[in-house]
Amino acid sequence: MNDQQTRPTPEEIQHTIDQLRTQVDELEKLIGQIMVPIIPSIMPDTILVPFAGELTPELSKKVVTKVLDHVSMTGTQTAILDFTALSIKQTESLSVFGNSVEELSASLSLMGIEVITVGFTPQFAREVALSGLPFVNKLKSFSTFRAALQHLMKLRGMELTEDNGKN
């Protein structure tokens, strides 16, 4: 058997590498969208930004850019950042989290957008409080997304009504 017939040419190898790089880029974008989607809330002019998985510096930068771009193009008045599914496994992850939240909340506040955080578990809340991150005491936080929505509804003079099937 001839080696020339079974081995790909350098051009074919480069073409395959280029295709794989393109696929990796597309998958990274998809993962970024899945890890931190921007979800319109039932409350007018309010978005929910749920964080999931491990927050890396690269993802953090993409999240901040994505959220700021979104709110600049919409009439967003309130951004609810949900950390329920965020994973902080290493000490440096807490630093990345702190920098990310501080940058995002300060930027949003400068744009006149209210920032509310939800989803701090007791252990996570303690780690963040003990971390010495300077912005922690400035965060407006609620235990759940529902509690945050109820707060916003009260502020905006709205009331939650239940339909028990009676029309």
Side-chain angles (χ1 to χ4, degrees), residues 106-126:
S107 298
L108 290 170
S109 293
L110 285 172
M111 295 171 71
I113 297 164
E114 179 182 18
V115 178
I116 296 175
T117 59
V118 300
F120 284 100
T121 63
Q123 180 185 357
F124 187 31
R126 183 174 184 193

Side-chain angles (χ1 to χ4, degrees), residues 27 35 37 48 75 79 90-91 98 100 106 112-113 129 143 146 160:
L27 290 172
M35 286 185 70
L48 171 65
Q90 302 167 344
T91 305
S100 175
I113 297 164
S143 58
R146 180 183 178 119
L160 182 65

Side-chain angles (χ1 to χ4, degrees), residues 50-79:
F51 289 72
E54 188 77 19
L55 191 58
T56 64
E58 297 78 22
L59 180 60
S60 171
K61 185 176 181 178
K62 289 177 185 176
V63 168
V64 171
T65 300
K66 181 179 177 182
V67 172
L68 293 178
D69 287 346
H70 178 83
V71 300
S72 71
M73 295 184 302
T74 62
T76 301
Q77 294 176 2
T78 306

Side-chain angles (χ1 to χ4, degrees), residues 13-83:
I13 292 172
Q14 186 60 49
H15 179 71
T16 301
I17 290 170
D18 291 343
Q19 285 180 322
L20 291 172
R21 282 187 180 143
T22 299
Q23 287 178 337
V24 167
D25 288 344
E26 290 171 1
L27 290 172
E28 284 177 348
K29 286 178 188 176
L30 182 60
I31 289 169
Q33 291 171 349
I34 292 170
M35 286 185 70
V36 186
I38 297 174
I39 304 168
S41 170
I42 60 169
M43 292 290 299
D45 306 321
T46 301
I47 59 170
L48 171 65
V49 183
F51 289 72
E54 188 77 19
L55 191 58
T56 64
E58 297 78 22
L59 180 60
S60 171
K61 185 176 181 178
K62 289 177 185 176
V63 168
V64 171
T65 300
K66 181 179 177 182
V67 172
L68 293 178
D69 287 346
H70 178 83
V71 300
S72 71
M73 295 184 302
T74 62
T76 301
Q77 294 176 2
T78 306
I80 301 174
L81 310 179
D82 185 352
F83 304 116

